[in-house]
Amino acid sequence: MYNDFFGLKETPFTIAPDPRYLFMSERHRDALAHLLYGIGAGGGFVLLTGEVGTGKTTVCRCLLEQLPANVRLAYILNPKLNAIELMATMCDELGIEYDPKESSLKTFTDLLSGRLLDNHEQGLNTVLMIDEAQNLSVEVLEQIRLLTNLETNQKKLLQIILIGQPELQELLAKKELRQLAQRITARYHLRPLSLNETKSYLEHRLRIAGVMRPVFKGKAIKLIHKASGGIPRLINVISDRAMLGAFAENLHHVDVRTVNKAVAEVLGEKADMAESGSVINHWKWAVPTLLIGLTLGVTAWSFGLFNDSVGIQNEQTVKQNVQLSDNTETILINQQTPEFESSDNSALNTNEADSGNILEKIPKSPSELAEEFWGEQSWDRSGAIASQNLLALWGVSYLPFQSADACNFAANYSLGCDQGMADWKLLSQLNRPANLKFTTSQGGDFWGTLIEIQNQSVVMQFGENQVTIERKKLNPMWTGEYRLFWKKPAGFRDPVGVGSRGAEVIWLTNFIEMSEGITIEPDNVFSEQVADWLALFQMEHGLISDGILGKHSIMMINNSAEPSIPKLFVESLQVEN
């Protein structure tokens, strides 16, 4: 309807999984890479999970367009099947003929086994891909696992890819499915888009649809990201409705007001974003109004308009969220509103009652704070839960039973592990989410995940609870011990210096050429020129200036080279209206 108005060749924000519109954020590239790995791997399970609308099905459609010629794929879209129906559907997908009245698992297994062997002898890989796999029953999943027992001496005959919502991870964590979980060779959790990725996503879809100019104003983009939570499907729905609203009002740009209306229509709620200076504008009118109200109140009292016999008879329970300035955890308080007595001093009594209800800032002991962090949860003594939460920030699904050592597990995803003793300055400098070890006299040792730094406060996650608290409140508890993950460049194993060669050196010289605009020849040799540049870079970033490429230098480079990796400091999006 609005295509001609905006100069579009087609509607850009449909929810159909059109591979042409696939926005390849780093997360989506990694997801596709995991699926392609699954296609070529020698058997086992590959797991791709993500929230509803994050783009899992679109990634699958993109995969279908890139299938190698030697792949025979059975793609199941409706997994609400029993074991017999699943086997029959696989036969249908692979072109295996069978008696429609057949109901024997053995017969279907024999048919599939014969086809898998034939495919193997012809040099073909057979892949079973199941979408919406969280709907599979335990019995069907066990039958799927048994199919992976079909193998030769060299390889499995069937590769299985399971795609589903986060509930799939919970399903596979069941004790009765532990054998299947142990056969998962690759896992990836597709996370929502960041604010910068949301901006790029909108521009990408508009560009594919035929419009190169910006359509959404900067603050409108921020509001779309806030309302959608970075979920591509919700971004599409809100953006489509917002462009329709702009067309109806003859506006060639989508602004905050239009997006607010779209959010209210689509989600049934208002996600208002205050304009700059709105707080000042609010108080500009609120203060005179308050003064006028007080003046009228005093005048009315002086003329006897407030009668002693008038009182408040009903008692009401008020629930309010109170944010303490020196302890930023949120506390839910049930406060009883007192009955006001009828007396000559009722107004004074009311003021005294109100003043008595003001919360005093009572400092809490480290043990009391730790108790609030965990609530009713089991405390994380070993750091396994913290490792699970930290790897989730990197888009990696980790269950402690998969590997006792999270660092070894992370290495499968090209992530290095850095641990030791640090202070807030070092953690801020590295700018990576980290697991911190705490201890209290009563609670003992426990771990938490540092997610974000906000001036003098930090955002921490303890199990499923997330709290914001001032650093000084954590200092008595933090032992100084930390663990974090960082992204390794290809080929990196140990620190490298002058004379080294390899993929990690090419990675470094490519970054120098990109950031400085200078050419390094040859680009695969760690020369004196490269060492001099690195030593200066290290000095500028507060590192030991030794000209050797180690993990902390890589982290500093990745802060610029890899904008989508998780960081402690949230980067704001600067866009013009």
Side-chain angles (χ1 to χ4, degrees), residues 27 45 153-154 183 205 214 282 308 315 373 384 389 437 440 515:
R27 297 173 178 87
F45 290 82
N153 291 333
Q154 289 79 30
R183 298 188 183 193
R205 294 191 74 101
H282 170 75
D308 293 343
E315 181 176 340
F373 294 159
N389 289 336
K437 186 177 182 180
T440 65
S515 60

Side-chain angles (χ1 to χ4, degrees), residues 53-75:
T54 49
K56 302 184 298 297
T57 302
T58 306
V59 170
C60 291
R61 298 292 176 86
C62 186
L63 173 70
L64 295 178
E65 293 189 352
Q66 301 183 35
L67 283 178
N70 68 332
V71 169
R72 296 297 178 265
L73 176 70
Y75 187 18

